[in-house]
Amino acid sequence: MKIRKVVIPVAGWGTRSLPATKNVPKEMLPVYKKPTVQYVVEEAMQTGITDVVFVNNQNKRIIEDHFDYNLALEAVLERMGNKEMLQEVRKVAQMVNIITVRQKEQLGLGHAVLCAKEVIKDEPFAVMVGDDLLFDHEPGIKQLMEVALTENMPVVGVVDVPREKVSRYGILQAEEFAPDMYRVRGMMEKPRPEDAPSTLAMVGRYVLTPEIFTHLENLAPGKGGEIQLTDALQLLAKENRLLAVKLKGRRFDTGDWVDYLSANIYFALQDKALRSELIENLRSLLPAS
Ligand code: G1P
């Protein structure tokens, strides 16, 4: 069976990126020339996903608009004869089908996923959290999908993080059964370093089946008073119904300023038109050693 749909929760406040995100959604902050969320949608598209389900709130409709036509702008570009940019802005509207569902209250990542239940119906689906960008390898979500389809099980994407950073993530207790593939036995949401069962952190890439909805519906609020996706995944793990794959590639957490700025520089450095001037400028910013 093919996975056609991805749920992308985008209703969060983006508090880690304030004050930039006071009025601009964090998903619309640019990484080099494109808004962050476009990289996530492109990753989904490269994997063969055709339908993107944004779980959104009433203040961030600009996200959906980015994946629609902007006819007034297109007319201007046409008049200017700027064919290249015209194509570039049109292309974004042609990438995928956009479906939006409302998360009327911010009750957590698990709650956001549950809001998409009626759209997903009875198919396996992907979940991608927009803060995590993955490059330099096969699309991250594709790495999970292949395992999910062969093993016929839900799969979460993980990376190894330094122990002092485990309290930012859902952390797994897992057994490696093949290189970089794990059977998940349990997990903890944002544990203290001394309590963490490992340093394998979930990083915003999941392939799930509709059985997750039943678990989410029956959950009591967990860490931070939120309906946690981690708590529903924990129930799958207890039933031996969850695998994990260590993701390959370069990862940027765009909610972290160092990673966000590094991602911008990384992409700008790949653009031959800027590269040497940018390197020169960056050098001039460093104190002489
Ligand atoms: C969420 C999940 C956490 C996961 C993280 C990855 O946390 O609850 O398990 O590790 O996404 O980005 P959040 O970053 O929304 O607090």
Side-chain angles (χ1 to χ4, degrees), residues 212-227:
I212 198 78
F213 295 127
T214 320
H215 289 317
L216 286 169
E217 274 167 341
N218 294 319
L219 277 183
K223 189 123 190 171
E226 297 188 336
I227 303 292

Side-chain angles (χ1 to χ4, degrees), residues 80-255:
M80 287 165 62
N82 191 345
K83 288 219 176 73
E84 207 178 309
M85 191 48 72
L86 179 61
Q87 234 184 343
E88 176 96 30
V89 299
R90 285 189 68 87
K91 194 184 72 187
V92 185
Q94 292 161 345
M95 291 198 301
V96 284
N97 301 318
I98 298 293
I99 301 152
T100 303
V101 299
R102 283 285 176 95
Q103 186 180 16
K104 297 177 189 165
E105 294 172 279
Q106 307 305 297
L107 300 179
L109 180 59
H111 177 254
V113 172
L114 185 55
C115 289
K117 180 183 171 201
E118 295 308 321
V119 180
I120 298 298
K121 299 200 173 73
D122 53 3
E123 293 172 39
F125 63 103
V127 174
M128 294 169 75
V129 172
D131 291 356
D132 286 301
L133 300 184
L134 290 154
F135 302 100
D136 266 5
H137 207 273
E138 249 193 329
I141 198 71
K142 189 167 184 208
Q143 297 175 40
L144 303 191
M145 238 181 233
E146 282 161 3
V147 179
L149 294 177
T150 18
E151 302 287 329
N152 198 19
M153 283 235 241
V155 181
V156 297
V158 293
V159 300
D160 235 330
V161 295
R163 190 162 273 272
E164 65 272 17
K165 292 199 173 164
V166 291
S167 56
R168 297 185 189 177
Y169 302 95
I171 301 292
L172 301 190
Q173 180 200 342
E175 281 159 29
E176 195 166 11
F177 68 94
D180 294 337
M181 283 163 69
Y182 303 82
R183 256 181 255 295
V184 183
R185 300 298 183 207
M187 56 183 67
M188 283 176 89
E189 179 66 10
K190 306 195 172 84
R192 292 183 307 179
E194 58 273 31
D195 300 333
S198 75
T199 50
L200 288 175
M202 292 189 282
V203 286
R205 296 292 181 277
Y206 311 82
V207 173
L208 301 175
T209 52
E211 64 200 295
I212 198 78
F213 295 127
T214 320
H215 289 317
L216 286 169
E217 274 167 341
N218 294 319
L219 277 183
K223 189 123 190 171
E226 297 188 336
I227 303 292
Q228 294 287 355
L229 183 59
T230 298
D231 292 342
L233 294 171
Q234 164 85 323
L235 295 172
L236 289 182
K238 293 287 165 230
E239 297 162 2
N240 282 328
R241 286 280 305 149
L242 189 64
L243 301 178
V245 166
K246 201 186 274 180
L247 291 165
K248 298 190 176 72
R250 187 186 295 273
R251 166 177 168 259
F252 297 106
D253 170 8
T254 58

